Amino acid sequence: MIKSMTGFGRATKEIDGYVISVELKSVNHRYFEFNCRIPRQYGFIEDKMKSYVNSKVARGKIDCFVSIEALNTESAEVVVNHTMASAYIKALKELSAEYDLKEDFGTNSISHYPDVLVVKKAEEDEEKLWSYVKEVATEAIDKFISMREVEGEKMKEDIYSRGQYILDAVSFVEKRSPETVKEYNSKLIERVRELLGDVSLDEGRVLQEVAIYADKVAVAEETVRLRSHIEQLNNFLNSKEAIGRKMDFLVQEINRETNTIGSKANDVEIARKVVDIKAEIEKIREQIQNIE
């Protein structure tokens, strides 16, 4: 099943005294790009999260937000940094004496100075905490991928219908191409008779000219390759792998064969069909830019 590169997933769960939230959202990107916002004290989780998400997602620019709230307050302790507190008090007293100011500072005001009160938390069991985060992340990723699959299914239907339109246009070209040779033969004979009057025609020479023209405008090889490319495109649409980049290359090949048909065909009706095919190719290309 093809997947869009646009997705969103979020999950929140309370596990063993922690409230954990994981949110994922993504947009188009040629490769896998991962950005994670996580509380600084839990930074050890970032690389693990990146590897885990990458094992599930092949392409896209992904932003990940992880929130971890510890409900167990016994695991935290607030301690006084006496070195900093003493330095602040000494500086304030010096300031009061120098400028004859009232010493109106107390515990409350001193405690608000940077680094006077320090929060110390008990050491986390990193592997255990990661297992909790992974459990929540799994739920978020499942929702994230599910959204990508829903979008991908819509894109699949659109690309398939455009591929069928191209095949119909190819059928028209295959049917029309021999007719252009017949028309050229008739016009050539008519033109020669206009120029030479009643002089007998050199049928061998006329046939030779028609054969040269037929070879010049022949597009059978290109239409066969186009059909093969569309068949391969449809196979990609049913693939379980990430096939966005492969499809992008295939569409380039489809466009190349179409251009060749356009340059060979000396016919207005075929030229119009080529324009229609190229319009569909461009719409397919736009869709593929958002396929994982």
Side-chain angles (χ1 to χ4, degrees):
M1 176 180 290
I2 69 171
K3 302 183 187 73
S4 166
M5 278 194 283
T6 303
F8 177 84
R10 190 174 192 278
T12 300
K13 189 176 290 187
E14 181 179 334
I15 307 174
D16 194 22
Y18 294 94
V19 176
I20 301 171
S21 294
V22 175
E23 179 178 302
L24 297 163
K25 59 181 181 179
S26 67
V27 293
N28 299 4
H29 198 275
R30 190 174 181 182
Y31 304 107
F32 176 83
E33 182 177 310
F34 185 83
N35 297 306
C36 186
R37 284 188 183 180
I38 192 167
R40 186 164 47 183
Q41 65 268 35
Y42 301 115
F44 62 88
I45 288 174
E46 184 172 349
D47 285 341
K48 296 177 184 292
M49 180 66 78
K50 180 178 181 179
S51 297
Y52 185 56
V53 173
N54 197 193
S55 70
K56 305 283 186 179
V57 179
R59 284 211 301 165
K61 184 179 183 298
I62 299 169
D63 290 314
C64 176
F65 305 89
V66 180
S67 170
I68 303 173
E69 181 184 355
L71 300 178
N72 184 5
T73 56
E74 293 179 2
S75 64
E77 180 184 4
V78 179
V79 298
V80 179
N81 186 336
H82 291 285
T83 301
M84 291 301 296
S86 297
Y88 280 124
I89 292 170
K90 181 181 178 182
L92 290 170
K93 285 184 176 181
E94 183 180 328
L95 190 65
S96 298
E98 179 68 24
Y99 297 101
D100 193 23
L101 300 173
K102 180 181 177 182
E103 292 187 8
D104 55 357
F105 51 86
T107 304
N108 186 56
S109 60
I110 296 296
S111 67
H112 283 80
Y113 287 105
D115 301 323
V116 171
L117 298 181
V118 180
V119 178
K120 287 189 174 182
K121 290 189 175 182
E123 283 193 20
E124 305 279 2
D125 184 332
E126 293 186 2
E127 288 305 316
K128 181 184 289 187
L129 185 56
W130 163 239
S131 70
Y132 298 158
V133 173
K134 185 179 179 181
E135 182 179 334
V136 181
T138 299
E139 185 178 331
I141 291 172
D142 287 346
K143 293 177 181 178
F144 174 79
I145 292 176
S146 177
M147 180 176 176
R148 281 183 153 208
E149 289 175 344
V150 170
E151 291 294 321
E153 187 62 28
K154 295 176 183 177
M155 294 163 64
K156 173 183 174 180
E157 292 172 2
D158 183 72
I159 293 171
Y160 179 80
S161 66
R162 297 188 187 283
Q164 294 306 115
Y165 179 89
I166 292 174
L167 287 179
D168 291 341
V170 168
S171 296
F172 174 85
V173 171
E174 289 171 333
K175 184 177 179 180
R176 174 64 187 159
S177 186
E179 294 298 318
T180 64
V181 177
K182 293 179 182 178
E183 290 172 6
Y184 177 78
N185 181 65
S186 298
K187 288 178 181 179
L188 181 61
I189 293 173
E190 183 180 345
R191 181 64 174 158
V192 170
R193 282 177 175 165
E194 285 178 1
L195 293 173
L196 301 180
D198 295 333
V199 178
S200 61
L201 295 175
D202 183 346
E203 293 185 4
R205 179 60 178 166
V206 170
L207 289 174
Q208 185 179 3
E209 288 295 327
V210 172
I212 293 171
Y213 177 81
D215 184 62
K216 186 184 296 184
V217 301
V219 293
E221 291 182 10
E222 288 76 14
T223 57
V224 167
R225 284 196 290 267
L226 260 179
R227 288 186 177 279
S228 175
H229 292 334
I230 296 298
E231 181 181 356
Q232 193 174 357
L233 187 71
N234 290 337
N235 290 337
F236 280 152
L237 292 175
N238 295 312
S239 174
K240 295 181 180 179
E241 301 176 0
I243 40 73
R245 276 183 281 184
K246 291 180 181 179
M247 291 181 74
D248 189 45
F249 173 78
L250 186 59
V251 168
Q252 291 179 37
E253 294 300 306
I254 293 172
N255 191 59
R256 184 178 291 110
E257 300 298 342
T258 303
N259 284 337
T260 303
I261 292 172
S263 64
K264 280 187 171 183
N266 187 21
D267 180 74
V268 174
E269 292 184 45
I270 291 179
R272 287 173 180 164
K273 282 297 178 183
V274 167
V275 171
D276 291 342
I277 292 173
K278 287 179 71 66
E280 295 304 307
I281 291 171
E282 191 56 35
K283 290 171 184 174
I284 291 173
R285 194 198 305 276
E286 290 174 4
Q287 290 283 33
I288 287 174
Q289 298 311 307
N290 194 38
I291 290 179
E292 183 181 5

